[in-house]
Each structure stands twice: as structure tokens, then as C-alpha cells.
Amino acid sequence: MIRAISVDMDGTFLDENGEYNRARFERIYAELVKHQIKFIVASGNQYYQLKSFFPGKDEELFYVAENGAVIFHQGELRSVNRFEERLVQKILRTLIQDYQDLQVILCGVKSAYLLKAADSNFKTFAKKYYFELQEVDSFDVLPDDTFIKFALDVEVTKTGQIVEDLNQMFNGEIRAVASGHGSIDIIIPGVTKGSAIQQLLNEWRVTPDDLLAFGDANNDIEMLQLTPNSYAMQESSPEVFATAKYIAPSNKEAGVLQVIEDYMEKSQRP
């Protein structure tokens, strides 16, 4: 019996326009509440952006944001995993000195930060995903925050190589992972959407067999590995297809909502 549902957002829950059928979700969500099924928004994106998709539900939903580095519920920070300041400075020096053609966002709990000198198109892109975003003159002096992730924008064709290079260069101190469309996240080793969701399941005394999970990119793999009820979206990476047990219809066709509706309908049959 399903007792929790976790969904990635971009490319999974959201359609190609970055939206979802809100009226349809409201009907489904009312059924989830009735059956005491918890709903987890699990994304590489910032909490402040994620909650904007669910007005009026910030008190109810669970947010696994920044690829599992933070968990928010009822507007409060429930859990945080942080980089040491020394390592933050080392990563920034490497990115700025060795990869002049990439754009970088330093992600903190209170805000995200980018350089004032960043590409204007990248700034526009960043504002779409980071509702709390500050521009800084340089990263020589770090802002007063707790740092949990780095988000990079690179040429799509270079994504795989840069991921490999960074993981070799930092040798276990960090984990670089592709999150789709030329985006790379640098995260804390062992901290993933999957580890954060497992933490919640432990709190709720829910087994992974009672979790329904949806994803499309490589930063969803650990979440999908948790449960036999795992779905890759129709347009997923090869690694996600190899991980998930089932394939959901496209995010362009509200595939997540279709699958949840099917589960709810089956669970109510005599």
C-alpha cells in the first residue's frame, strides 16, 4: 500500500512549459490527504522556488530541496547538510580559474549567490530557479550563510567530461552529477534525494516498498533505487531507464498524475 509519493519537478512533474494541471492535482491531492499519503517534492532546485508551485500547501507538503541537502516542512528547515567553508573556497577557486566558460551559483540555505559579472542570459535563467538570489562582486569573501550545493551551467556536450573531471579532481570530497540540459550539481557525497527521503521514511516508519517515486535525470537515481514502485518518465536519461522498474507517460502528458490516479483507483477497488 502506498503511503508516500516523491516527485522530481523539472522534466517529471512539470510539463514542457514548467507548469502542471493544478485543478487535476487538487482533486488527486484531496484523495491523498484522505488516505494519509504524504507528498514529497524532491528537486535539485531551491526550496523558495519549489514552494511557489504549491500556494497554500506550504504547511502540508514536504520539500527535499537542493538534491537532498535540505528538508523543509511547514516553512521550517528540518534538516541540513553543509560543505565546510575551506572546501567551498577550494571549489570556487577551481571553478573560476580552470573553467572560465562555465557559470556558477553558490547555493546557501538563506539565498543563492552569483557573480555580478555573470552572463546576462545566465542571470535570467538563474532567477527562474532561485527566488532568493543575490549578486556579489566576488567570492573572495563568502556571504554569511550555510553552503549546501553548487549549480553549474555548461555546454551540453561538455557535461559528461566536466562531471568526470571534477569527481576525479576532488577525489571523494564532492560529488558532481548531471541534472539535465547542461546543468551540473556539486553536492556533498552521500547526500542525495534518496538519502533525504529515506530519512523521512524512517521518521514516519514507512518502508521503501510503500513509496511511489518519479524521476527523469541522474540526480533522481538514488531516489528511484529506494523503491520497487519507481517510474522513469518517457524522456529520461539512459541511466534512469536502467534504474526504474516502470516507465511513466511523458511529463508533457501529465504522466505523474496519470500514474497516481491509477494507483488511487486500484486501491479503492473492493
Side-chain angles (χ1 to χ4, degrees):
M1 177 182 153
I2 298 303
R3 295 179 60 194
I5 297 172
S6 62
V7 299
D8 169 56
M9 291 295 280
D10 295 309
T12 300
F13 189 75
L14 301 179
D15 62 22
E16 70 272 29
N17 299 312
E19 260 300 342
Y20 67 97
N21 187 324
R22 299 190 181 221
R24 186 177 181 183
F25 176 70
E26 287 293 335
R27 293 192 296 272
I28 293 170
Y29 185 71
E31 288 297 309
L32 299 182
V33 171
K34 188 187 301 183
H35 291 83
Q36 298 183 313
I37 298 172
K38 300 185 187 298
F39 194 83
I40 307 164
V41 179
S43 173
N45 293 343
Q46 189 186 50
Y47 161 68
Y48 305 102
Q49 185 246 13
L50 296 175
K51 73 174 186 174
S52 72
F53 286 105
F54 302 97
K57 289 190 170 51
D58 195 40
E59 296 292 302
E60 304 168 28
L61 302 185
F62 290 81
Y63 294 90
V64 169
E66 309 281 15
N67 278 331
V70 291
I71 300 173
F72 278 86
H73 180 55
Q74 297 182 333
E76 295 181 359
L77 179 65
R78 290 272 303 270
S79 173
V80 60
N81 294 275
R82 62 184 296 169
F83 281 105
E84 292 181 9
E85 187 171 314
R86 172 200 60 80
L87 184 54
V88 171
Q89 293 169 332
K90 181 180 174 183
I91 294 168
L92 287 169
R93 280 196 305 271
T94 299
L95 295 175
I96 292 168
Q97 292 171 11
D98 297 355
Y99 296 95
Q100 287 86 6
D101 57 343
L102 63 71
Q103 305 289 325
V104 58
I105 297 173
L106 174 60
C107 305
V109 170
K110 293 188 284 191
S111 180
Y113 307 87
L114 53 66
L115 294 174
K116 289 180 180 177
D119 179 80
S120 59
N121 291 330
F122 180 65
K123 288 183 181 181
T124 301
F125 168 83
K127 288 173 184 174
K128 179 181 176 182
Y129 291 99
Y130 295 90
F131 280 30
E132 293 293 333
L133 180 67
Q134 297 180 35
E135 295 186 20
V136 296
D137 291 315
S138 79
F139 287 126
D140 292 342
V141 177
L142 294 177
D144 179 22
D145 207 337
T146 299
F147 301 109
I148 53 180
K149 192 188 77 174
F150 297 79
L152 314 180
D153 184 64
V154 306
E155 287 183 35
V156 174
T157 56
K158 295 181 179 179
T159 303
Q161 188 61 56
I162 292 175
V163 165
E164 187 177 333
D165 290 348
L166 289 171
N167 283 326
Q168 287 182 358
M169 198 179 307
F170 285 91
N171 191 28
E173 288 186 292
I174 62 130
R175 180 169 174 241
V177 59
S179 53
H181 314 292
S183 295
I184 295 173
D185 290 333
I186 296 176
I187 57 180
I188 301 164
V191 176
T192 65
K193 295 181 187 182
S195 66
I197 291 167
Q198 183 65 68
Q199 180 180 328
L200 289 172
L201 296 181
N202 291 343
E203 282 182 31
W204 303 331
R205 298 183 181 179
V206 171
T207 70
D209 285 358
D210 294 331
L211 172 71
L212 183 61
F214 300 86
D216 75 305
N218 289 9
N219 60 341
D220 298 315
I221 287 174
E222 291 84 0
M223 172 176 72
L224 298 174
Q225 287 173 333
L226 278 180
T227 174
N229 309 304
S230 56
Y231 282 81
M233 305 309 293
Q234 194 72 52
E235 297 89 1
S236 293
S237 74
E239 294 84 358
V240 168
F241 279 129
T243 301
K245 186 165 183 182
Y246 304 105
I247 298 175
S250 170
N251 65 310
K252 299 172 185 175
E253 300 167 354
V256 169
L257 299 185
Q258 286 188 49
V259 173
I260 295 175
E261 283 173 337
D262 287 346
Y263 264 92
M264 298 306 293
E265 184 181 332
K266 288 175 184 173
S267 68
Q268 293 174 40
R269 288 176 188 165

mmCIF file of all heavy atoms in Angstrom, residues 81-96 104-108 113 139-143 145-150 170 173-174 186-188:
data_model
loop_
_atom_site.group_PDB
_atom_site.id
_atom_site.type_symbol
_atom_site.label_atom_id
_atom_site.label_comp_id
_atom_site.label_asym_id
_atom_site.label_seq_id
_atom_site.Cartn_x
_atom_site.Cartn_y
_atom_site.Cartn_z
ATOM 1 N N ASN A 81 22.520 19.577 5.372
ATOM 2 C CA ASN A 81 23.874 19.043 5.216
ATOM 3 C C ASN A 81 24.710 20.131 4.555
ATOM 4 O O ASN A 81 24.319 20.674 3.516
ATOM 5 C CB ASN A 81 23.865 17.788 4.341
ATOM 6 C CG ASN A 81 23.141 16.639 4.989
ATOM 7 O OD1 ASN A 81 23.713 15.898 5.767
ATOM 8 N ND2 ASN A 81 21.855 16.492 4.680
ATOM 9 N N ARG A 82 25.877 20.432 5.121
ATOM 10 C CA ARG A 82 26.639 21.601 4.667
ATOM 11 C C ARG A 82 28.050 21.226 4.234
ATOM 12 O O ARG A 82 28.625 20.232 4.692
ATOM 13 C CB ARG A 82 26.723 22.634 5.789
ATOM 14 C CG ARG A 82 27.459 22.134 7.021
ATOM 15 C CD ARG A 82 27.428 23.158 8.145
ATOM 16 N NE ARG A 82 28.147 24.366 7.770
ATOM 17 C CZ ARG A 82 28.104 25.495 8.452
ATOM 18 N NH1 ARG A 82 27.366 25.578 9.555
ATOM 19 N NH2 ARG A 82 28.773 26.546 8.058
ATOM 20 N N PHE A 83 28.601 22.047 3.326
ATOM 21 C CA PHE A 83 30.014 21.963 2.971
ATOM 22 C C PHE A 83 30.835 22.738 3.997
ATOM 23 O O PHE A 83 30.398 23.792 4.481
ATOM 24 C CB PHE A 83 30.273 22.610 1.603
ATOM 25 C CG PHE A 83 29.895 21.759 0.423
ATOM 26 C CD1 PHE A 83 28.748 22.045 -0.306
ATOM 27 C CD2 PHE A 83 30.688 20.703 0.017
ATOM 28 C CE1 PHE A 83 28.413 21.289 -1.414
ATOM 29 C CE2 PHE A 83 30.357 19.934 -1.087
ATOM 30 C CZ PHE A 83 29.212 20.225 -1.808
ATOM 31 N N GLU A 84 32.025 22.258 4.301
ATOM 32 C CA GLU A 84 32.946 23.039 5.126
ATOM 33 C C GLU A 84 33.398 24.270 4.342
ATOM 34 O O GLU A 84 33.571 24.218 3.125
ATOM 35 C CB GLU A 84 34.172 22.198 5.500
ATOM 36 C CG GLU A 84 33.880 21.055 6.449
ATOM 37 C CD GLU A 84 35.137 20.286 6.801
ATOM 38 O OE1 GLU A 84 36.244 20.748 6.433
ATOM 39 O OE2 GLU A 84 35.013 19.229 7.439
ATOM 40 N N GLU A 85 33.611 25.372 5.050
ATOM 41 C CA GLU A 85 33.971 26.628 4.393
ATOM 42 C C GLU A 85 35.267 26.495 3.592
ATOM 43 O O GLU A 85 35.388 27.036 2.484
ATOM 44 C CB GLU A 85 34.103 27.740 5.427
ATOM 45 C CG GLU A 85 34.319 29.112 4.799
ATOM 46 C CD GLU A 85 34.221 30.226 5.818
ATOM 47 O OE1 GLU A 85 33.277 30.210 6.636
ATOM 48 O OE2 GLU A 85 35.104 31.111 5.794
ATOM 49 N N ARG A 86 36.232 25.757 4.138
ATOM 50 C CA ARG A 86 37.507 25.554 3.434
ATOM 51 C C ARG A 86 37.289 24.900 2.068
ATOM 52 O O ARG A 86 37.874 25.289 1.070
ATOM 53 C CB ARG A 86 38.418 24.662 4.288
ATOM 54 C CG ARG A 86 39.700 24.198 3.598
ATOM 55 C CD ARG A 86 40.281 22.977 4.278
ATOM 56 N NE ARG A 86 39.377 21.840 4.272
ATOM 57 C CZ ARG A 86 39.203 21.037 3.221
ATOM 58 N NH1 ARG A 86 39.849 21.257 2.087
ATOM 59 N NH2 ARG A 86 38.370 20.010 3.291
ATOM 60 N N LEU A 87 36.404 23.920 2.032
ATOM 61 C CA LEU A 87 36.127 23.218 0.785
ATOM 62 C C LEU A 87 35.350 24.106 -0.183
ATOM 63 O O LEU A 87 35.596 24.074 -1.395
ATOM 64 C CB LEU A 87 35.346 21.928 1.070
ATOM 65 C CG LEU A 87 35.048 21.026 -0.133
ATOM 66 C CD1 LEU A 87 36.321 20.669 -0.898
ATOM 67 C CD2 LEU A 87 34.317 19.767 0.319
ATOM 68 N N VAL A 88 34.447 24.914 0.330
ATOM 69 C CA VAL A 88 33.712 25.865 -0.521
ATOM 70 C C VAL A 88 34.697 26.769 -1.257
ATOM 71 O O VAL A 88 34.592 26.981 -2.471
ATOM 72 C CB VAL A 88 32.728 26.709 0.322
ATOM 73 C CG1 VAL A 88 32.140 27.845 -0.511
ATOM 74 C CG2 VAL A 88 31.613 25.823 0.863
ATOM 75 N N GLN A 89 35.660 27.309 -0.528
ATOM 76 C CA GLN A 89 36.649 28.206 -1.135
ATOM 77 C C GLN A 89 37.505 27.474 -2.174
ATOM 78 O O GLN A 89 37.803 28.016 -3.242
ATOM 79 C CB GLN A 89 37.523 28.811 -0.042
ATOM 80 C CG GLN A 89 36.752 29.763 0.872
ATOM 81 C CD GLN A 89 37.529 30.152 2.111
ATOM 82 O OE1 GLN A 89 38.380 29.400 2.586
ATOM 83 N NE2 GLN A 89 37.248 31.334 2.639
ATOM 84 N N LYS A 90 37.869 26.242 -1.880
ATOM 85 C CA LYS A 90 38.678 25.444 -2.809
ATOM 86 C C LYS A 90 37.908 25.160 -4.099
ATOM 87 O O LYS A 90 38.457 25.276 -5.203
ATOM 88 C CB LYS A 90 39.067 24.127 -2.116
ATOM 89 C CG LYS A 90 39.930 23.195 -2.962
ATOM 90 C CD LYS A 90 40.247 21.920 -2.178
ATOM 91 C CE LYS A 90 40.987 20.899 -3.040
ATOM 92 N NZ LYS A 90 41.221 19.626 -2.290
ATOM 93 N N ILE A 91 36.648 24.823 -3.983
ATOM 94 C CA ILE A 91 35.816 24.537 -5.158
ATOM 95 C C ILE A 91 35.665 25.796 -6.010
ATOM 96 O O ILE A 91 35.808 25.755 -7.238
ATOM 97 C CB ILE A 91 34.436 23.999 -4.732
ATOM 98 C CG1 ILE A 91 34.581 22.631 -4.064
ATOM 99 C CG2 ILE A 91 33.504 23.900 -5.940
ATOM 100 C CD1 ILE A 91 33.319 22.165 -3.349
ATOM 101 N N LEU A 92 35.379 26.913 -5.372
ATOM 102 C CA LEU A 92 35.193 28.156 -6.114
ATOM 103 C C LEU A 92 36.467 28.555 -6.860
ATOM 104 O O LEU A 92 36.413 28.977 -8.017
ATOM 105 C CB LEU A 92 34.764 29.277 -5.159
ATOM 106 C CG LEU A 92 33.318 29.190 -4.653
ATOM 107 C CD1 LEU A 92 33.091 30.175 -3.519
ATOM 108 C CD2 LEU A 92 32.329 29.441 -5.788
ATOM 109 N N ARG A 93 37.608 28.425 -6.206
ATOM 110 C CA ARG A 93 38.877 28.754 -6.877
ATOM 111 C C ARG A 93 39.058 27.881 -8.117
ATOM 112 O O ARG A 93 39.445 28.378 -9.182
ATOM 113 C CB ARG A 93 40.055 28.547 -5.910
ATOM 114 C CG ARG A 93 40.274 29.668 -4.934
ATOM 115 C CD ARG A 93 41.671 29.590 -4.296
ATOM 116 N NE ARG A 93 41.924 28.291 -3.674
ATOM 117 C CZ ARG A 93 41.623 28.007 -2.400
ATOM 118 N NH1 ARG A 93 41.052 28.920 -1.631
ATOM 119 N NH2 ARG A 93 41.912 26.811 -1.907
ATOM 120 N N THR A 94 38.778 26.610 -7.995
ATOM 121 C CA THR A 94 38.942 25.687 -9.117
ATOM 122 C C THR A 94 37.998 26.043 -10.262
ATOM 123 O O THR A 94 38.411 26.098 -11.434
ATOM 124 C CB THR A 94 38.672 24.235 -8.663
ATOM 125 O OG1 THR A 94 39.616 23.896 -7.646
ATOM 126 C CG2 THR A 94 38.803 23.267 -9.816
ATOM 127 N N LEU A 95 36.749 26.279 -9.945
ATOM 128 C CA LEU A 95 35.765 26.577 -10.982
ATOM 129 C C LEU A 95 36.102 27.873 -11.719
ATOM 130 O O LEU A 95 36.020 27.945 -12.950
ATOM 131 C CB LEU A 95 34.370 26.678 -10.370
ATOM 132 C CG LEU A 95 33.795 25.393 -9.766
ATOM 133 C CD1 LEU A 95 32.460 25.677 -9.092
ATOM 134 C CD2 LEU A 95 33.644 24.313 -10.822
ATOM 135 N N ILE A 96 36.477 28.894 -10.971
ATOM 136 C CA ILE A 96 36.727 30.202 -11.576
ATOM 137 C C ILE A 96 38.040 30.211 -12.359
ATOM 138 O O ILE A 96 38.135 30.795 -13.441
ATOM 139 C CB ILE A 96 36.715 31.295 -10.478
ATOM 140 C CG1 ILE A 96 35.284 31.449 -9.934
ATOM 141 C CG2 ILE A 96 37.205 32.625 -11.033
ATOM 142 C CD1 ILE A 96 35.185 32.267 -8.665
ATOM 143 N N VAL A 104 28.440 29.738 -12.535
ATOM 144 C CA VAL A 104 28.313 29.048 -11.248
ATOM 145 C C VAL A 104 27.393 29.815 -10.298
ATOM 146 O O VAL A 104 27.412 31.042 -10.239
ATOM 147 C CB VAL A 104 29.702 28.839 -10.586
ATOM 148 C CG1 VAL A 104 30.419 30.169 -10.384
ATOM 149 C CG2 VAL A 104 29.578 28.084 -9.272
ATOM 150 N N ILE A 105 26.589 29.052 -9.581
ATOM 151 C CA ILE A 105 25.766 29.577 -8.492
ATOM 152 C C ILE A 105 26.180 28.862 -7.214
ATOM 153 O O ILE A 105 26.249 27.630 -7.177
ATOM 154 C CB ILE A 105 24.262 29.343 -8.752
ATOM 155 C CG1 ILE A 105 23.808 30.094 -9.998
ATOM 156 C CG2 ILE A 105 23.428 29.793 -7.545
ATOM 157 C CD1 ILE A 105 22.384 29.790 -10.413
ATOM 158 N N LEU A 106 26.465 29.626 -6.186
ATOM 159 C CA LEU A 106 26.756 29.085 -4.864
ATOM 160 C C LEU A 106 25.445 29.076 -4.078
ATOM 161 O O LEU A 106 24.823 30.121 -3.882
ATOM 162 C CB LEU A 106 27.805 29.948 -4.161
ATOM 163 C CG LEU A 106 28.128 29.602 -2.705
ATOM 164 C CD1 LEU A 106 28.653 28.183 -2.574
ATOM 165 C CD2 LEU A 106 29.140 30.604 -2.141
ATOM 166 N N CYS A 107 25.017 27.905 -3.652
ATOM 167 C CA CYS A 107 23.709 27.750 -3.024
ATOM 168 C C CYS A 107 23.832 27.680 -1.512
ATOM 169 O O CYS A 107 24.524 26.800 -0.973
ATOM 170 C CB CYS A 107 23.028 26.485 -3.535
ATOM 171 S SG CYS A 107 22.886 26.419 -5.339
ATOM 172 N N GLY A 108 23.167 28.588 -0.827
ATOM 173 C CA GLY A 108 23.118 28.585 0.623
ATOM 174 C C GLY A 108 21.710 28.310 1.102
ATOM 175 O O GLY A 108 20.765 28.254 0.307
ATOM 176 N N TYR A 113 23.815 32.607 -4.615
ATOM 177 C CA TYR A 113 24.694 33.731 -4.925
ATOM 178 C C TYR A 113 25.355 33.503 -6.275
ATOM 179 O O TYR A 113 25.798 32.389 -6.582
ATOM 180 C CB TYR A 113 25.763 33.882 -3.839
ATOM 181 C CG TYR A 113 25.186 33.959 -2.446
ATOM 182 C CD1 TYR A 113 24.934 32.793 -1.712
ATOM 183 C CD2 TYR A 113 24.856 35.180 -1.872
ATOM 184 C CE1 TYR A 113 24.383 32.852 -0.441
ATOM 185 C CE2 TYR A 113 24.308 35.248 -0.599
ATOM 186 C CZ TYR A 113 24.061 34.083 0.111
ATOM 187 O OH TYR A 113 23.501 34.152 1.364
ATOM 188 N N PHE A 139 33.732 36.074 -5.003
ATOM 189 C CA PHE A 139 33.592 35.035 -3.983
ATOM 190 C C PHE A 139 34.814 34.987 -3.063
ATOM 191 O O PHE A 139 35.002 34.018 -2.324
ATOM 192 C CB PHE A 139 33.383 33.669 -4.644
ATOM 193 C CG PHE A 139 32.016 33.480 -5.252
ATOM 194 C CD1 PHE A 139 31.873 33.091 -6.579
ATOM 195 C CD2 PHE A 139 30.876 33.682 -4.494
ATOM 196 C CE1 PHE A 139 30.621 32.907 -7.137
ATOM 197 C CE2 PHE A 139 29.608 33.500 -5.037
ATOM 198 C CZ PHE A 139 29.482 33.114 -6.362
ATOM 199 N N ASP A 140 35.638 36.044 -3.116
ATOM 200 C CA ASP A 140 36.829 36.072 -2.255
ATOM 201 C C ASP A 140 36.438 36.068 -0.781
ATOM 202 O O ASP A 140 37.102 35.459 0.053
ATOM 203 C CB ASP A 140 37.683 37.306 -2.569
ATOM 204 C CG ASP A 140 38.307 37.228 -3.955
ATOM 205 O OD1 ASP A 140 38.366 36.109 -4.512
ATOM 206 O OD2 ASP A 140 38.716 38.273 -4.490
ATOM 207 N N VAL A 141 35.355 36.781 -0.474
ATOM 208 C CA VAL A 141 34.788 36.762 0.874
ATOM 209 C C VAL A 141 33.407 36.130 0.768
ATOM 210 O O VAL A 141 32.548 36.625 0.037
ATOM 211 C CB VAL A 141 34.677 38.186 1.463
ATOM 212 C CG1 VAL A 141 34.020 38.131 2.839
ATOM 213 C CG2 VAL A 141 36.052 38.837 1.552
ATOM 214 N N LEU A 142 33.207 35.046 1.486
ATOM 215 C CA LEU A 142 31.945 34.314 1.368
ATOM 216 C C LEU A 142 30.822 35.036 2.109
ATOM 217 O O LEU A 142 31.041 35.622 3.183
ATOM 218 C CB LEU A 142 32.109 32.909 1.943
ATOM 219 C CG LEU A 142 33.053 31.977 1.187
ATOM 220 C CD1 LEU A 142 33.173 30.647 1.917
ATOM 221 C CD2 LEU A 142 32.567 31.749 -0.242
ATOM 222 N N PRO A 143 29.609 34.996 1.569
ATOM 223 C CA PRO A 143 28.463 35.561 2.290
ATOM 224 C C PRO A 143 28.214 34.819 3.597
ATOM 225 O O PRO A 143 28.687 33.697 3.798
ATOM 226 C CB PRO A 143 27.296 35.343 1.301
ATOM 227 C CG PRO A 143 27.935 35.120 -0.035
ATOM 228 C CD PRO A 143 29.248 34.459 0.248
ATOM 229 N N ASP A 145 26.307 32.610 5.334
ATOM 230 C CA ASP A 145 25.286 31.611 5.035
ATOM 231 C C ASP A 145 25.874 30.219 5.267
ATOM 232 O O ASP A 145 27.072 30.064 5.527
ATOM 233 C CB ASP A 145 24.813 31.759 3.573
ATOM 234 C CG ASP A 145 23.385 31.268 3.354
ATOM 235 O OD1 ASP A 145 22.904 30.440 4.154
ATOM 236 O OD2 ASP A 145 22.766 31.701 2.358
ATOM 237 N N THR A 146 25.024 29.214 5.170
ATOM 238 C CA THR A 146 25.418 27.812 5.225
ATOM 239 C C THR A 146 25.341 27.266 3.806
ATOM 240 O O THR A 146 24.274 27.318 3.193
ATOM 241 C CB THR A 146 24.469 27.016 6.148
ATOM 242 O OG1 THR A 146 24.543 27.563 7.465
ATOM 243 C CG2 THR A 146 24.832 25.546 6.179
ATOM 244 N N PHE A 147 26.453 26.755 3.284
ATOM 245 C CA PHE A 147 26.509 26.406 1.865
ATOM 246 C C PHE A 147 26.288 24.916 1.655
ATOM 247 O O PHE A 147 26.914 24.068 2.307
ATOM 248 C CB PHE A 147 27.835 26.873 1.270
ATOM 249 C CG PHE A 147 28.016 28.355 1.428
ATOM 250 C CD1 PHE A 147 28.946 28.868 2.319
ATOM 251 C CD2 PHE A 147 27.199 29.238 0.748
ATOM 252 C CE1 PHE A 147 29.082 30.233 2.501
ATOM 253 C CE2 PHE A 147 27.318 30.603 0.926
ATOM 254 C CZ PHE A 147 28.255 31.107 1.801
ATOM 255 N N ILE A 148 25.390 24.608 0.715
ATOM 256 C CA ILE A 148 24.879 23.243 0.595
ATOM 257 C C ILE A 148 25.015 22.652 -0.810
ATOM 258 O O ILE A 148 24.899 21.436 -0.977
ATOM 259 C CB ILE A 148 23.397 23.203 1.017
ATOM 260 C CG1 ILE A 148 22.578 24.246 0.236
ATOM 261 C CG2 ILE A 148 23.265 23.437 2.510
ATOM 262 C CD1 ILE A 148 21.106 24.285 0.571
ATOM 263 N N LYS A 149 25.290 23.486 -1.817
ATOM 264 C CA LYS A 149 25.357 22.972 -3.187
ATOM 265 C C LYS A 149 25.971 24.018 -4.101
ATOM 266 O O LYS A 149 25.919 25.220 -3.807
ATOM 267 C CB LYS A 149 23.939 22.624 -3.688
ATOM 268 C CG LYS A 149 23.881 21.818 -4.969
ATOM 269 C CD LYS A 149 22.436 21.694 -5.487
ATOM 270 C CE LYS A 149 21.973 22.963 -6.168
ATOM 271 N NZ LYS A 149 20.652 22.835 -6.799
ATOM 272 N N PHE A 150 26.548 23.557 -5.210
ATOM 273 C CA PHE A 150 26.957 24.433 -6.302
ATOM 274 C C PHE A 150 26.163 24.012 -7.531
ATOM 275 O O PHE A 150 26.028 22.815 -7.811
ATOM 276 C CB PHE A 150 28.452 24.270 -6.615
ATOM 277 C CG PHE A 150 29.363 24.664 -5.498
ATOM 278 C CD1 PHE A 150 29.579 23.801 -4.429
ATOM 279 C CD2 PHE A 150 30.018 25.880 -5.507
ATOM 280 C CE1 PHE A 150 30.426 24.150 -3.394
ATOM 281 C CE2 PHE A 150 30.869 26.235 -4.470
ATOM 282 C CZ PHE A 150 31.072 25.371 -3.411
ATOM 283 N N PHE A 170 38.537 16.170 -7.122
ATOM 284 C CA PHE A 170 38.256 16.337 -5.696
ATOM 285 C C PHE A 170 38.194 15.008 -4.940
ATOM 286 O O PHE A 170 38.043 14.998 -3.725
ATOM 287 C CB PHE A 170 36.957 17.136 -5.515
ATOM 288 C CG PHE A 170 37.134 18.594 -5.801
ATOM 289 C CD1 PHE A 170 36.915 19.100 -7.078
ATOM 290 C CD2 PHE A 170 37.564 19.473 -4.811
ATOM 291 C CE1 PHE A 170 37.100 20.448 -7.352
ATOM 292 C CE2 PHE A 170 37.744 20.808 -5.073
ATOM 293 C CZ PHE A 170 37.516 21.309 -6.349
ATOM 294 N N GLU A 173 35.771 14.242 -2.063
ATOM 295 C CA GLU A 173 35.365 15.385 -1.234
ATOM 296 C C GLU A 173 34.014 15.944 -1.678
ATOM 297 O O GLU A 173 33.287 16.546 -0.889
ATOM 298 C CB GLU A 173 36.404 16.509 -1.322
ATOM 299 C CG GLU A 173 37.700 16.242 -0.611
ATOM 300 C CD GLU A 173 38.593 17.467 -0.639
ATOM 301 O OE1 GLU A 173 39.073 17.839 -1.729
ATOM 302 O OE2 GLU A 173 38.806 18.061 0.443
ATOM 303 N N ILE A 174 33.718 15.767 -2.958
ATOM 304 C CA ILE A 174 32.461 16.248 -3.524
ATOM 305 C C ILE A 174 31.900 15.160 -4.421
ATOM 306 O O ILE A 174 32.558 14.166 -4.716
ATOM 307 C CB ILE A 174 32.664 17.525 -4.378
ATOM 308 C CG1 ILE A 174 33.590 17.221 -5.572
ATOM 309 C CG2 ILE A 174 33.229 18.660 -3.549
ATOM 310 C CD1 ILE A 174 33.088 17.673 -6.886
ATOM 311 N N ILE A 186 27.065 20.184 -7.869
ATOM 312 C CA ILE A 186 28.121 19.676 -6.999
ATOM 313 C C ILE A 186 27.513 19.538 -5.613
ATOM 314 O O ILE A 186 27.080 20.529 -5.013
ATOM 315 C CB ILE A 186 29.339 20.612 -6.971
ATOM 316 C CG1 ILE A 186 29.975 20.688 -8.368
ATOM 317 C CG2 ILE A 186 30.366 20.140 -5.962
ATOM 318 C CD1 ILE A 186 31.131 21.668 -8.458
ATOM 319 N N ILE A 187 27.476 18.303 -5.135
ATOM 320 C CA ILE A 187 26.795 18.023 -3.880
ATOM 321 C C ILE A 187 27.730 17.308 -2.910
ATOM 322 O O ILE A 187 28.828 16.898 -3.271
ATOM 323 C CB ILE A 187 25.526 17.182 -4.126
ATOM 324 C CG1 ILE A 187 25.875 15.875 -4.858
ATOM 325 C CG2 ILE A 187 24.491 17.974 -4.904
ATOM 326 C CD1 ILE A 187 24.677 14.974 -5.140
ATOM 327 N N ILE A 188 27.269 17.171 -1.678
ATOM 328 C CA ILE A 188 28.032 16.501 -0.636
ATOM 329 C C ILE A 188 27.915 14.996 -0.855
ATOM 330 O O ILE A 188 26.799 14.480 -1.017
ATOM 331 C CB ILE A 188 27.480 16.893 0.747
ATOM 332 C CG1 ILE A 188 27.577 18.416 0.933
ATOM 333 C CG2 ILE A 188 28.220 16.168 1.865
ATOM 334 C CD1 ILE A 188 26.729 18.944 2.067
#
